[in-house]
Amino acid sequence: MNPTFRSVYAAFDQYPSSKGASTHIDHVCQVLSQYHGPTLLLTVEGTGPLKPTENIHHITFKSEEPNVLRR
């Protein structure tokens, strides 16, 4: 099934990871999906295991660039 996304969150940080940005990404997506329904999350491939949810579809991309502003 291909849902119609009502919101999109794109971040140039790794997700999931042990960094604080990962926690922020998680909380924002939870709120977006709660209030707006299916949410598309786009992030740099993380180092931790994904937490699958019904309303958040996560797509990752690889980046060799360590500098977040250059990504």
Side-chain angles (χ1 to χ4, degrees):
M1 186 174 122
N2 197 5
T4 301
F5 299 111
R6 306 261 326 194
S7 59
V8 175
Y9 189 87
F12 296 99
D13 277 305
Q14 290 182 322
Y15 178 82
S17 75
S18 59
K19 291 176 50 180
S22 186
T23 302
H24 175 79
I25 293 167
D26 186 55
H27 289 290
V28 169
C29 286
Q30 293 298 326
V31 170
L32 284 173
S33 68
Q34 180 181 357
Y35 288 99
H36 300 290
T39 299
L40 177 60
L41 171 61
L42 306 166
T43 67
V44 175
E45 187 173 64
T47 57
L50 289 175
K51 297 185 289 184
T53 66
E54 190 174 314
N55 280 331
I56 300 172
H57 182 75
H58 186 201
I59 296 175
T60 62
F61 61 93
K62 294 182 187 277
S63 177
E64 299 287 327
E65 178 58 59
N67 185 314
V68 71
L69 296 177
R70 290 184 181 159
R71 284 187 207 147

